[in-house]
Amino acid sequence: MTTSPDPYERSLPEGLAPETLAVRSSLARTQYQEHGDPIFPTSSFVFENAAQAAARFAGDEDGFIYSRTDNPTVAAFARRLAALEGGEACVATASGMSAISAVVMSLTRAGDHVVAARELFGATVQMFGILSRFGVSTSFVPLADTEAWARAIGPQTKLLYLESPSNPLNEVADIRAIAAIARAHGIPLVVDNCFCSPVLQKPLELGAEIVVHSATKYIDGQGRVLGGAVIGRRSYIVDTLGPFLRTMGPTLSPFNAWVLLKGCETLSVRMHQQSANALEVARWLEAQPGVERVHYPGLESHPQHRLAMSQQKTGGAIVSFDVAGADDAARRRNAWAVIDNSRILSITANVGDVRTTITHPASTTHGRIGAEARREAGIGEGLIRLAVGLEAPADIIADLERGLSRVGR
Ligand SMILES: *Cc1c(COP(=O)(O)O)cnc(C)c1O
């Protein structure tokens, strides 16, 4: 948590670029002058004497007390991510879901209302369902329909919530316009920036108040640990969210924070290379007769290509496409054939890894929502989602071609 004292931070010149901060922002070195970031696996911290303990607890003296509240390695990760997102402060959490639930719960009480995008990560939708038991209701609106966001706001609405681009169809929200609507109502827009990471998209610069992350995805980038984070104004993070998290306790472990610190160092090169690979795969897919449609915001054929490119640096690394088929059964059979004929792609629902993952949303991540809801959301039986990694694009393409060549028109 960034409530930790500034003397613990290594001093750096002003005005450094995000790529520099991603590798250079850190805690002050210990007396051992280590070059790498240290891990502090300790539950508590020792005081010089009783008076110092009293001063720390009273908040009269800066310093660490207990690792549920704050830990140097966790603080170093939070500072690095705040620097990358261009936010005043950041607090790290045990997972993306704990970051998301803490933000929504810290901003609402019974009787309040939230407006959220219809196209959200599944567990986030379920979380809004749980919160309805505590008297917090949610209206879901189509992500790309900016007018619908304005219409759904009522007197009890306390926040707007979205992800962009959406999963798995890569629909894009007009973040600037929706942030302006939120501001006009004096409420925050919260953006889950997991799919772009701060390397490709900076929601705070686009007008959002709060950014949440599942650091489990691109920030780790290598499928090792779970983590989450919230970035925003110091007044919100330190005065409102910090005390909430300290009490509820979904604390990031120092070890996971250290892994995520390392992830930040390579985030920029990974995001740019994985995006370039994704664009190459998307362009190839678009030319295949067995593919009906490719959903990738980096392609000129994407209906929101210009909007996407006005707020993201690239189209990102997620590519979805519809495999052709005479009917739903054939589309599913053909999609499964593409998946089962790949040799190197990992059949797993996770995204953000340096290894390309492939999944069939209709029978996995979106299997439980039912055929009707899937039709409404545009998730067909032929849809495949790729989270493109760092393999040579030619190898990814060769893997996809093996299955696609069997798909007759
Ligand atoms: C994975 C994911 C989450 C949840 O993160 P966890 O770290 O698994 O708790 C939230 N939002 C998006 C967009 C995700 O992909």
Side-chain angles (χ1 to χ4, degrees):
M1 210 171 300
T2 43
T3 48
S4 59
D6 273 341
Y8 286 75
E9 195 173 11
R10 196 181 302 163
S11 70
L12 288 170
E14 290 286 315
L16 295 176
E19 292 79 6
T20 309
L21 291 170
V23 295
R24 286 287 169 187
S25 118
S26 194
L27 289 178
R29 293 194 176 108
T30 71
Q31 72 269 35
Y32 301 115
Q33 290 293 311
E34 68 282 350
H35 192 207
D37 294 287
I39 312 181
F40 291 95
T42 178
S43 45
S44 72
F45 299 83
V46 175
F47 311 110
E48 300 276 345
N49 48 48
Q52 188 185 47
R56 289 261 177 100
F57 272 84
D60 296 335
E61 181 188 298
D62 284 332
F64 296 97
I65 297 174
Y66 184 60
S67 283
R68 172 156 44 73
T69 312
D70 210 356
N71 173 283
T73 318
V74 177
F77 166 60
R79 280 165 192 279
R80 200 170 272 186
L81 195 57
L84 287 175
E85 284 285 1
E88 287 178 10
C90 170
V91 57
T93 58
S95 65
M97 285 318 302
S98 52
I100 292 164
S101 55
V103 165
V104 176
M105 291 171 79
S106 71
L107 292 171
T108 54
R109 61 173 65 205
D112 284 345
H113 174 248
V114 175
V115 180
R118 198 180 55 188
E119 302 82 357
L120 288 179
F121 183 67
T124 305
V125 175
Q126 284 161 26
M127 176 207 73
F128 283 119
I130 291 171
L131 289 182
S132 71
R133 290 201 269 121
F134 298 87
V136 176
S137 62
T138 305
S139 302
F140 294 97
V141 297
L143 178 73
D145 183 352
T146 304
E147 304 280 293
W149 286 86
R151 279 197 306 273
I153 296 173
Q156 288 310 115
T157 307
K158 291 293 150 61
L159 66 111
L160 309 186
Y161 186 95
L162 63 83
E163 291 164 21
S164 183
S166 71
N167 174 25
L169 287 174
N170 271 326
E171 287 171 83
V172 177
D174 187 338
I175 298 178
R176 285 186 190 88
I178 297 169
I181 292 167
R183 245 191 331 276
H185 287 85
I187 55 177
L189 168 64
V190 181
V191 175
D192 179 337
N193 201 28
C194 170
F195 274 26
C196 276
S197 91
V199 170
L200 301 186
Q201 176 169 274
K202 295 233 177 90
L204 300 177
E205 281 177 7
L206 298 170
E209 272 287 310
I210 297 168
V211 169
V212 294
H213 271 288
S214 168
T216 315
K217 312 294 166 55
Y218 288 102
I219 293 173
D220 173 10
Q222 288 152 81
R224 300 167 295 192
V225 299
L226 275 89
V230 185
I231 302 99
R233 285 184 206 281
R234 187 169 297 280
S235 55
Y236 168 66
I237 300 289
V238 175
D239 301 338
T240 304
L241 188 64
F244 181 89
L245 283 167
R246 278 203 284 283
T247 306
M248 304 301 257
T251 310
L252 183 65
S253 86
F255 176 76
N256 287 5
W258 182 82
V259 171
L260 296 170
L261 266 174
K262 301 292 109 186
C264 287
E265 293 173 2
T266 56
L267 183 62
S268 179
V269 286
R270 282 187 285 108
M271 289 312 300
H272 284 293
Q273 188 60 50
Q274 288 178 233
S275 299
N277 292 358
L279 181 60
E280 198 170 329
V281 171
R283 284 203 201 290
W284 178 82
L285 282 167
E286 214 172 22
Q288 301 313 303
V291 173
E292 260 168 12
R293 193 168 156 205
V294 182
H295 311 268
Y296 183 67
L299 290 176
E300 292 75 13
S301 60
H302 188 284
Q304 297 166 293
H305 174 67
R306 289 185 59 185
L307 170 63
M309 293 303 109
S310 78
Q311 58 189 31
Q312 313 173 197
K313 280 197 182 138
T314 72
I318 312 273
V319 179
S320 297
F321 59 101
D322 289 302
V323 178
D327 53 24
D328 273 351
R331 280 190 278 274
R332 172 177 289 214
R333 206 166 44 244
N334 291 342
W336 283 20
V338 172
I339 292 170
D340 291 340
N341 279 289
S342 69
R343 295 173 311 180
I344 55 169
L345 308 184
S346 309
I347 306 172
T348 174
N350 196 30
V351 306
D353 204 286
V354 294
R355 290 158 293 208
T356 300
T357 62
I358 187 165
T359 188
H360 182 246
S363 58
T364 59
T365 53
H366 294 71
R368 292 234 194 97
I369 66 172
E372 185 54 40
R374 275 200 298 279
R375 216 179 345 268
E376 238 170 61
I379 297 166
E381 290 293 332
L383 187 73
I384 288 179
R385 187 194 68 190
L386 290 173
V388 178
L390 287 181
E391 302 93 342
D395 286 336
I396 301 170
I397 287 169
D399 245 24
L400 294 169
E401 184 161 37
R402 196 167 306 102
L404 269 176
S405 62
R406 291 158 201 241
V407 178
R409 264 246 115 149

